[in-house]
Amino acid sequence: TWLPTRSFRAYRIYVRPPHDVNTICAVSHVQAALSALVTSSDAYFNQLREGYDQRRQLLSEGLRKLGLAVNRIEGAYYVFARIPQWWRGSGSELNAKLIEGGFVAGVPGDVFYGPGGGNEFLRYTFCKQRSTLELALERLAIAFDTLRSSRCV
């Protein structure tokens, strides 16, 4: 059995050093990366921002074409989409059906709200490759057609 003094000694020897290195000290490769980051030209950041904005637009417009209302969100890597009007359940229930069908998984909006809030939303991320977003939108179109034609609505 571990005695209190022995466990503290073990903590000091085995737990504290890696904990300190990972939480207090900036390791050398992180320091080098930060140095490169702060000396990068604005063109890099502009290109990065434009790429994310293009993917946000692609996802938002695609979701709107599928009947979901999407608000423009700035400073995030995701969009909140209001579930389609034809769906009679919650966002969690729709997300479960989409997962069961092997289509596309989002994050139900209710996990971001207090009790009873966010039930009509799904969150989708756009920090993916353009081809991944295009495939996701294609799968959602198929899923929505399938769900509309079934007894799930």
Side-chain angles (χ1 to χ4, degrees), residues 63 67-73 78-85 87 89-96 98 105-114 116-124 144:
L63 291 172
L68 287 80
V70 179
N71 290 333
R72 180 178 170 93
I73 296 178
Y78 55 82
V79 296
F80 269 99
R82 187 177 298 273
I83 59 176
Q85 291 182 353
W87 181 255
S90 68
S92 291
E93 293 166 332
L94 177 56
N95 195 57
L98 293 171
V107 180
D110 60 354
V111 302
F112 303 103
Y113 289 80
N119 291 328
E120 68 279 8
F121 293 103
L122 289 173
R123 187 180 95 163
Y124 291 105
F144 287 176

Side-chain angles (χ1 to χ4, degrees), residues 27-40 45:
V27 292
S28 60
H29 63 279
V30 172
Q31 292 175 8
L34 288 173
S35 175
L37 182 67
V38 297
T39 59
S40 297
F45 297 104

Side-chain angles (χ1 to χ4, degrees), residues 12-134:
R12 281 189 334 191
I13 294 170
Y14 300 109
V15 176
R16 188 173 178 190
H19 176 267
D20 286 352
V21 167
N22 288 317
T23 59
I24 297 170
C25 305
V27 292
S28 60
H29 63 279
V30 172
Q31 292 175 8
L34 288 173
S35 175
L37 182 67
V38 297
T39 59
S40 297
S41 73
D42 288 345
Y44 167 77
F45 297 104
N46 291 336
Q47 182 182 11
L48 188 65
R49 185 175 22 260
E50 288 171 15
Y52 277 115
D53 192 51
Q54 290 169 1
R55 287 176 284 173
R56 179 195 54 77
Q57 288 178 34
L58 171 71
L59 182 60
S60 296
E61 290 170 11
L63 291 172
R64 284 187 190 105
K65 288 178 184 175
L66 294 172
L68 287 80
V70 179
N71 290 333
R72 180 178 170 93
I73 296 178
E74 295 184 20
Y77 58 89
Y78 55 82
V79 296
F80 269 99
R82 187 177 298 273
I83 59 176
Q85 291 182 353
W86 52 263
W87 181 255
R88 299 293 174 227
S90 68
S92 291
E93 293 166 332
L94 177 56
N95 195 57
K97 288 291 183 187
L98 293 171
I99 292 170
E100 287 171 16
F103 297 104
V104 175
V107 180
D110 60 354
V111 302
F112 303 103
Y113 289 80
N119 291 328
E120 68 279 8
F121 293 103
L122 289 173
R123 187 180 95 163
Y124 291 105
T125 183
F126 55 83
C127 58
K128 302 287 182 187
Q129 293 182 11
R130 184 178 183 89
S131 60
T132 302
L133 296 174
E134 290 167 344

